[in-house]
Amino acid sequence: MEVNIHEAKTHLSRLLQRVAEGEEVVIARAGEPIARLVRIQPEKTTRPLGMYKGSVVVPDDFNDPLPPELLAQFLGTEEPSGNPTRKKRTKRKRK
């Protein structure tokens, strides 16, 4: 597809959408092509296998069930007990 500069400025969003879909757009001045809009191909980067080997440790008890009190906190069925940093909210009376 070929468009002139005025049309390219006016409809840039539409042209970029077409380019994103794989179409090539040529911008011309007085019928002379001066620029080409093409989709950028993402660079393919490969990560070497074993790159983080030895830096991640999974404990042996990872899949063990949680202690009952901790599980209750996750499920929201029990208030945490003995947590001095967390205070219960009380409603203030309006004046």
Side-chain angles (χ1 to χ4, degrees), residues 2-48:
E2 186 172 314
V3 295
N4 64 33
I5 293 176
H6 176 71
E7 192 175 355
K9 290 191 322 186
T10 305
H11 301 291
L12 182 61
S13 296
R14 291 181 196 161
L15 294 174
L16 290 176
Q17 181 62 40
R18 292 177 84 157
V19 168
E21 293 169 358
E23 190 173 339
E24 184 177 296
V25 176
V26 176
I27 301 173
R29 177 187 298 141
E32 181 74 27
I34 58 169
R36 182 181 310 142
L37 295 177
V38 293
R39 182 178 179 156
I40 295 175
Q41 298 300 325
E43 291 182 27
K44 293 181 182 178
T45 58
T46 57
R47 293 178 280 175

Side-chain angles (χ1 to χ4, degrees), residues 66-76 78:
L66 293 174
E69 61 276 358
L70 184 58
L71 181 60
Q73 290 177 13
F74 273 103
L75 298 175
E78 186 179 300

Side-chain angles (χ1 to χ4, degrees), residues 70-89:
L70 184 58
L71 181 60
Q73 290 177 13
F74 273 103
L75 298 175
T77 57
E78 186 179 300
E79 279 289 319
S81 58
N83 190 347
T85 58
R86 185 174 178 180
K87 297 179 182 177
K88 278 193 167 184
R89 288 186 170 183

